[in-house]
Amino acid sequence: MKSQHQVVLSLGSNQGNKLETIEVCIALIHKEIGTVIQVSKIYETPSWGFESAAFYNCALVLHSFHTAQKVLNLALKIEKKLGRIRNNQAGYQARIIDIDLIAFDEEIINTDKLQAPHPLLQNRKFVLMPFLDLGIQWKHPVLHKTVAELLESTTDSSTCTVVTKVNNPLSSISFDQFNYVAFEGNIGAGKTTLVTKIAEDFNAKTVLERFADNPFLPKFYKDQNRYAFPLEMSFLADRYQQLSDDLAQFDLFKDFLVADYHIFKSLIFAKITLAEDEYRLYRNLFDIIYKEMPKPDLYVYLYQNSERLLQNIKKRGRSYEQDISASYLEKINSGYLDYIKSQSDLNVLIIDVSDKDFVKNQEDYLFILGEIKKKLH
């Protein structure tokens, strides 16, 4: 499961409508590079290293799956989009927008095109003060100092004055109405990746299915008739146990919890895999368990067509999944959709993500958040 990087960028402008330029820049970073988690206050600072108009500066922290070099390349494209023309002239210059990569996790990067942490970070008050505003846990991997310690020891005595605050684009999307959200989808729909990303971006607790620990799963894919019933029973018992244990740890009225499955997925798969008499027995047991389970405030079903699911399954490379057929996936999709329609007490949102890649494309991720936002209103 891929985790996101924590990236700190510094923004500066001393030409044109500086505040508007920075606001537009932040929105583009959020749209095209990664999720902007926190934005500092805007500071007015004197030009550093040359004579020119005062700058507006701020810093932001974003989450992204991209490499550091990819983040930098995308940032340079945004600079160009906003009218920045870089040339080979020596020394510092006035500029409509400047985006610097200040820190990439706590990694040390030293290439011809990129250095991180920024080599002049500790000497620039107009970077350190906004960085401190972000309130993140970060220590310089070379100097072994926190941002507060770097600011205290900096030799830069220039004046940095707070001008205003800007809105964080993420603030337009809030899960405040929900405490417990379950994301579901077919095999390979990307629900675990999405749940992990949302948990990181919105500081949520997670409940992730322990599918890899089930000893019957590889056997089932080799001999479905023989292993269907023990597989479905073991899944049901494990999901019940996990949800009971995990949900008991949280206050469902205070904590924000996201899960990559809901207990009724057990019934969907059982209906497809079990013989009729086995399914009747299974359904009786399931109904007893289901009554005891807390219902999510929002249930999101990520729909993907079978062709895309097969591509995802092949890409993630689990050997026991490689013989899954399109017809089997279509049965699962139909089972989910039919069952969802019958659930009058479940707050359901179905999102078609067949043409979306919310790992590689930030806009696709924002599309999903946008659909959830529509549901909220």
Side-chain angles (χ1 to χ4, degrees), residues 84-248:
R84 171 84 183 270
I85 300 173
R86 288 180 175 264
N87 53 48
N88 296 323
Q89 183 179 336
Y92 297 102
Q93 305 160 37
R95 43 209 178 270
I96 190 166
I97 190 65
D98 186 35
I99 308 173
D100 285 325
L101 194 155
I102 302 301
F104 189 82
D105 296 325
E106 291 187 0
E107 289 187 22
I108 300 172
I109 303 172
N110 193 354
T111 69
D112 293 339
K113 296 181 179 179
L114 174 64
Q115 289 180 284
H118 194 288
L120 297 177
L121 164 65
Q122 63 276 8
N123 301 326
R124 292 180 169 179
K125 203 171 178 181
F126 67 85
V127 176
L128 290 170
M129 289 183 69
F131 196 160
L132 188 63
D133 282 349
L134 300 176
I136 61 174
Q137 297 295 317
W138 183 86
K139 181 172 280 191
H140 199 294
V142 178
L143 302 176
H144 306 293
K145 291 184 177 181
T146 64
V147 179
E149 290 168 338
L150 291 172
L151 185 58
E152 186 176 353
S153 61
T154 186
T155 57
D156 182 7
S157 58
S158 59
T159 303
C160 296
T161 307
V162 174
V163 177
T164 187
K165 293 182 179 179
V166 293
N167 289 328
N168 181 350
L170 194 64
S171 63
S172 66
I173 302 170
S174 172
F175 286 89
D176 288 348
Q177 295 181 33
F178 302 136
N179 295 102
Y180 174 24
V181 180
F183 289 83
E184 262 288 14
N186 210 324
I187 302 167
K191 49 192 175 292
T192 303
T193 301
L194 179 63
V195 163
T196 304
K197 180 170 172 55
I198 287 176
E200 291 172 347
D201 292 350
F202 291 90
N203 194 29
K205 309 290 194 308
T206 59
V207 175
L208 304 179
E209 187 175 12
R210 301 182 294 214
F211 68 91
D213 297 331
N214 194 311
F216 292 104
L217 194 55
K219 297 176 183 178
F220 166 76
Y221 284 123
K222 290 181 180 179
D223 189 346
Q224 294 192 15
N225 290 333
R226 180 178 178 184
Y227 290 104
F229 190 73
L231 173 73
E232 299 303 344
M233 287 301 296
S234 63
F235 265 137
L236 180 60
D238 190 55
R239 287 165 182 154
Y240 172 73
Q241 186 67 56
Q242 185 186 11
L243 284 173
S244 298
D245 292 347
D246 288 357
L247 294 179

Side-chain angles (χ1 to χ4, degrees), residues 181-187 189-192 194-195 209 239 243 259-269 296 298-304 332-333 336 340 346 348-351 353:
V181 180
F183 289 83
E184 262 288 14
N186 210 324
I187 302 167
K191 49 192 175 292
T192 303
L194 179 63
V195 163
E209 187 175 12
R239 287 165 182 154
L243 284 173
D260 69 348
Y261 74 102
H262 182 41
I263 190 70
F264 85 60
K265 79 175 294 179
S266 300
L267 199 62
I268 305 299
F269 283 82
L298 177 66
Y299 175 93
V300 181
Y301 184 69
L302 304 174
Y303 172 82
Q304 275 195 351
I332 294 172
N333 263 337
Y336 269 113
I340 285 169
L346 201 60
V348 175
L349 171 62
I350 300 173
I351 305 177
V353 293

